[in-house]
Amino acid sequence: MKKVGMPRGLYYYDYYLLWEAYFNSLNLEVVSSIKTNKDILDLGIASCVDEACLPVKIYHGHVAYLKDKVDCIFIPKYIRLHKKEYNCPKHLGIVDMLNSSIENLPPLITPKIELNNKADFKNIMYSVGREFKKSNKEIKNAYKYARKTFSKQDDWIQKMVIPDYNKKELKKGRIKLLILGHSYNVYDDFLNMGLIKKLYNKGVDIATVNDINENEYRLYSYNKNKRIFWTQGRKIIGTAYSLIEGHKVDGIIYISAFGCGLDSVLIYPIEKKSHDYNIPFMTITFDEHTGEAGIDTRIEAFLDMMKWRSESENYLPSFR
Ligand code: SF4
């Protein structure tokens, strides 16, 4: 059976179930790279340009890990997921970056994902299936099965990606934090040094962008000053506004990658909104030099500050 490599980085956590179901239904074996670890990071740093952000370096590491283990690697170019919206230029250029920095790659399957309507998506699925010489009938069945399976993506994230996080166990009185950021920063627990697990072990409940449905985050992502034209940006900002305005979280931690242009635009309005609603907000920026002890100290300090505020309503941190 032909092996299709799936690098565990960038939009892996957003679309894994869709593509896995699709390829399996076409009788192709999906081989995901292992979870990010020090070896993957080192492979990425060795092959990627220094200026790239940490998630892009890590993605290079996953591709380098897979290159001798599979028959081809699937690297969709996610250009546009909604009409008049785009993705970060690094997603658009990732295939060119990989081709110029990693030698002896197996064939890359790189469909352009540029969606204006549902028909576009169907056409892309058909074009991918034809690259594997599959018949229209096989592709049609795989497409239907993949769409159905994809509806369970949010459940998959909660059960498989952050298994410690289980809503049924929520206990009254626990602090609830919203962990914001691009999916590959939030769900890659090597990149963020196990932030979600650390918080959970300290008795904190977690909300992420996958807690909100698309209609809701789109409604709240309306920004009076400027239209957000990045799809993930809308998801991040819409989720934040919805949960802040609904008073549904006690604090927010934003996980950012050093040098990320999108985050530099997204963080300010969310921080301001949190300030207006008196909700504590902290940004943690990661790159390959970030030290874990520093992260632990900041988490402790943030939680202590929240505790003091709950015990003494008038307590305000010194930066105000
Ligand atoms: S959005 Fe930011 S973190 Fe993501 S690929 Fe672009 S620059 Fe890197």
Side-chain angles (χ1 to χ4, degrees), residues 33-53:
S33 49
I34 53 173
K35 279 184 153 195
T36 309
N37 59 22
K38 178 83 171 61
D39 294 338
I40 295 279
L41 176 63
D42 289 345
L43 278 172
I45 291 171
S47 55
C48 187
V49 291
D50 289 344
E51 296 73 23
C53 60

Side-chain angles (χ1 to χ4, degrees), residues 240-309:
Y241 281 19
S242 162
L243 294 181
I244 291 170
E245 289 178 20
H247 298 278
K248 290 184 181 150
V249 285
D250 304 303
I252 298 176
I253 296 180
Y254 195 111
I255 304 176
S256 177
F258 179 75
C260 174
L262 273 64
D263 282 348
S264 66
V265 174
L266 295 171
I267 288 172
Y268 175 71
I270 298 173
E271 186 170 9
K272 186 170 179 312
K273 176 75 87 177
S274 310
H275 187 272
D276 293 346
Y277 282 75
N278 212 18
I279 289 176
F281 179 93
M282 173 170 76
T283 304
I284 302 182
T285 305
F286 288 90
D287 68 10
E288 61 269 38
H289 306 295
T290 305
E292 190 161 0
I295 300 299
D296 290 350
T297 308
R298 293 194 64 201
I299 294 171
E300 293 275 353
F302 189 69
L303 294 178
D304 282 349
M305 181 270 293
M306 291 184 68
K307 190 166 157 255
W308 295 334
R309 285 184 71 175

